[in-house]
Amino acid sequence: TGSTAARDASVAQRLRAAGCVLLGKANLSEWANFRSTRSTSGWSGVGGQTRNPYALDRNPCGSSSGSGASVAASLCAAAIGTETDGSVVCPANANGIVGIKPTLGLVSRAGIVPLAHSQDTAGTMARTVADGAAMLTAIAGFDSRDGVTEGSGGHVSDYSAFLLEDGLQGARLGVARNYTGFHECCESLLEEALVAMRDAGAQVIDPIELPNKGDYGDAEYDVLLYEFKADLNAYLLGRPDLQVQSLAELIDFNRSHADQEMPYFQQEVLEQAQ
C-alpha cells in the first residue's frame, strides 16, 4: 500500500481518453485468488472481505470481487475486472451484473498485475449489456506495450452497433447439461431464460454434452504455476517503488506480516509456484 505506479495502465489511459471518470480501485481476491488452496473470494490483507451487496453473508465470487459488488451496489456505472480463469464472469454472475471476458489479445494487459500471460485479460463489468459494450469499445485495440494485442488492429470499432432488439433471431444456442444440475433454484432460472431466448427467436439445442470436462485442469494448473512466477517476477522488477521485488520476497513479506496477511488461510500456492 502507499505506492503509486509511474504511469497509468493502458486500460486506464483508454478509459480517460474516452471521457470516463475513474473513481478508484476496488478490493479483490488477493493475488487473483492464486494464493491458497482454501482462500476466500474477495478477501485481501489490505481491504478485508468484500461482501455481496444482495446478501452480505454470501460469496461475491472473484477474483474481481470489488468490481462486481460495486457495480451491483450502484457505486459506479461500470468497472474493470481481470480474468485468468473466471475472475470476470464469476463475480458478474454472483452479483447479478453483466461481465464480458474478451478474447485474449483484444485488450492490453500493460500495467496490470499478472497471473499468467497465456490466459490473463481485462474485461468489462456493468449493469447492462449496452454499458459493457460501450466500455469494451473504449478499451479494445492495439497497444505497443503488450505484444499480444498485435492481432487486434482490425477489431470491431463499436461493439454497441451489435445491440439489436432482434439479435437472437436465428442464433443457435446449445445447453451443456453436464455443467448444470447443482441447485433447483438455479435450474428454475435457467429454464425461464431458455424460454425467453426461444421467444426471442433463438434456436435452443438442448441438451448437448461438452466433451473433456475436467480433463485438463491439472495441466492448466501446472502452466499457471510456472507463468505466475515468471510473470510476477518480471512485473515486480519494473516496480522499484514496491516493498517486494520478487515472488520469494513476497512470500517472506507475508510470513513477516502473518497477522495481517494470513489470519484465515496460508500461501501454499505461492510457495508451490516458487
Side-chain angles (χ1 to χ4, degrees):
T1 60
S3 64
T4 302
R7 60 186 297 187
D8 272 347
S10 292
V11 166
Q13 283 182 322
R14 287 180 177 271
L15 289 173
R16 292 188 199 278
C20 293
V21 177
L22 304 188
L23 300 179
K25 295 183 179 180
N27 196 28
L28 74 165
S29 308
E30 193 164 272
W31 300 110
N33 235 4
F34 201 67
R35 205 193 88 171
S36 171
T37 57
R38 53 191 295 269
S39 58
T40 301
S41 285
W43 186 90
S44 73
V46 173
Q49 180 61 52
T50 305
R51 299 183 183 275
N52 189 313
Y54 287 103
L56 298 180
D57 61 343
R58 297 303 179 98
N59 192 338
C61 206
S63 59
S64 301
S65 310
S67 295
S70 60
V71 171
S74 297
L75 301 179
C76 57
I80 295 293
T82 59
E83 175 163 330
T84 304
D85 201 343
S87 294
V88 168
V89 295
C90 186
N93 169 72
N95 293 280
I97 61 171
V98 176
I100 301 176
K101 185 268 179 188
T103 302
L104 187 70
L106 185 63
V107 176
S108 172
R109 289 91 50 91
I112 296 174
V113 181
L115 197 168
H117 64 266
S118 64
Q119 292 181 222
D120 287 351
T121 184
T124 65
M125 306 176 78
R127 287 190 295 278
T128 68
V129 176
D131 286 348
M135 269 192 98
L136 183 59
T137 298
I139 65 175
F142 172 72
D143 177 20
S144 61
R145 296 171 63 193
D146 185 0
V148 77
T149 63
E150 287 182 358
S152 68
H155 74 284
V156 173
S157 60
D158 181 10
Y159 290 94
S160 300
F162 297 95
L163 299 172
L164 307 174
E165 289 189 12
D166 61 350
L168 284 178
Q169 194 69 41
R172 298 175 72 246
L173 305 175
V175 184
R177 290 291 178 180
N178 56 333
Y179 284 85
T180 65
F182 294 103
H183 195 283
E184 60 273 10
C185 292
C186 294
E187 294 305 301
S188 176
L189 291 172
L190 173 61
E191 297 308 320
E192 291 178 15
L194 293 176
V195 170
M197 287 187 281
R198 286 190 180 97
D199 290 345
Q203 178 187 355
V204 178
I205 304 169
D206 185 12
I208 64 169
E209 295 290 320
L210 291 181
N212 306 115
K213 178 184 177 183
D215 288 353
Y216 306 113
D218 290 344
E220 181 206 22
Y221 184 65
D222 284 343
V223 171
L224 296 186
L225 288 173
Y226 280 94
E227 292 191 2
F228 178 70
K229 179 179 180 179
D231 293 347
L232 184 64
N233 282 344
Y235 173 83
L236 292 174
L237 281 176
R239 291 292 306 274
D241 54 303
L242 298 179
Q243 296 180 58
V244 298
Q245 295 295 297
S246 68
L247 175 57
E249 290 184 14
L250 167 63
I251 291 169
D252 289 340
F253 177 91
N254 287 345
R255 289 172 180 157
S256 300
H257 300 80
D259 288 348
Q260 178 183 356
E261 284 296 333
M262 296 191 288
Y264 305 115
F265 49 87
Q266 301 299 305
Q267 56 177 350
E268 60 270 24
V269 175
L270 298 186
E271 293 167 351
Q272 189 177 5
Q274 177 61 24

